[in-house]
Amino acid sequence: LPPLALLFVISFFDFESWITPGRLFFLLFTATAIITLVWTNALHHLVFTGVYTIDTGPFPMLGLKHGLVWWIIIGYHYFLLAMLSALLLLQVFASAGFIRSQAILLLSAVTIVWVVNGIYVSGNSPIPNMDMGPLAFTMVAGAMAWGFFRCSLLDILPMARTKIFHGLDNAIVVFDEKSRVMDMNPAAESMFAVGVDEMLWDD
């Protein structure tokens, strides 16, 4: 999931120049290798070295003994998550209007993973010894799915928007169904002498 999320954000916010064939191959190859190592763990025990019973919580649970490769996988995923968070944070401060709103929405979803994992690592999980990672990713999926439909994220072509919408000399103002200003290009900002942030729609 982290590589796919990173590729989506890079493409959506017009950082396509970052996606070289070599980097794309590395991301896809690494993801495939990780899945393969986990599925074949019984043959090599590199990811998990065994299981044990946890009796300290409200009910018995099985714990996994982590191997060296598990820590490498976790470090790699957190590195990708940090890159994803940094790109979204950059868009929050560098963009305006509807694009900034989209970046804030996606950054909020990614923040859920950091918060939930922080709670787990600090030992403050509401259910002792329970890994809350799956819950975090479920919440992120729900938040991002809501964002896709609420903001029509999948209906916008970032490359076309950047090269055409911003490049035209003609003023363009984008309204939603309630006639609220969602975005405007630089030509419109110059014509009306107002920035899109000053006219940004809200709920």
Side-chain angles (χ1 to χ4, degrees), residues 6 10 14-21 23-24 83 87 90:
L6 182 61
I10 287 174
D14 197 30
F15 289 100
E16 284 90 351
S17 60
W18 292 18
I19 307 178
T20 64
R23 290 171 182 169
L24 183 60
M83 286 185 61
L87 283 176
L90 174 65

Side-chain angles (χ1 to χ4, degrees), residues 38-100:
V38 173
W39 282 354
T40 60
N41 186 74
L43 301 176
H44 49 70
H45 302 289
L46 293 173
V47 183
F48 304 111
T49 59
V51 297
Y52 61 97
T53 305
I54 302 174
D55 297 319
T56 56
F59 46 83
M61 299 175 64
L62 283 180
L64 293 170
K65 296 179 181 178
H66 302 131
L68 175 62
V69 173
W70 186 86
W71 294 104
I72 295 173
I73 292 172
I74 290 298
Y76 170 69
H77 281 157
Y78 274 104
F79 172 74
L80 294 181
L81 198 61
M83 286 185 61
L84 177 61
S85 301
L87 283 176
L88 289 172
L89 197 59
L90 174 65
Q91 288 304 307
V92 168
F93 289 104
S95 301
F98 196 53
I99 294 297
R100 175 181 287 173

Side-chain angles (χ1 to χ4, degrees), residues 132-178:
M132 297 177 65
L135 174 62
F137 279 108
T138 300
M139 294 169 67
V140 169
M144 294 187 78
W146 178 84
F148 288 157
F149 293 104
R150 168 68 177 81
C151 298
S152 302
L153 292 182
L154 300 180
D155 295 339
I156 298 175
L157 296 175
M159 187 177 298
R161 182 186 185 284
T162 299
K163 296 184 189 252
I164 299 176
F165 182 79
H166 278 278
L168 284 176
D169 293 329
N170 297 326
I172 300 176
V173 180
V174 180
F175 298 91
D176 67 2
E177 67 277 2
K178 295 182 180 178

Side-chain angles (χ1 to χ4, degrees), residues 121-137:
V121 170
S122 65
N124 294 311
S125 174
I127 302 177
N129 304 312
M130 179 179 177
D131 182 1
M132 297 177 65
L135 174 62
F137 279 108

Side-chain angles (χ1 to χ4, degrees), residues 12-13 88 91-109 146-147 150-151 153 161 181-183 196-197 200-203:
F12 188 82
F13 290 105
L88 289 172
Q91 288 304 307
V92 168
F93 289 104
S95 301
F98 196 53
I99 294 297
R100 175 181 287 173
S101 298
Q102 293 166 336
I104 290 173
L105 175 67
L106 293 175
L107 183 60
S108 299
W146 178 84
R150 168 68 177 81
C151 298
L153 292 182
R161 182 186 185 284
V181 175
M182 297 172 64
D183 207 348
V196 65
D197 283 338
L200 181 62
W201 59 268
D202 54 37
D203 290 327

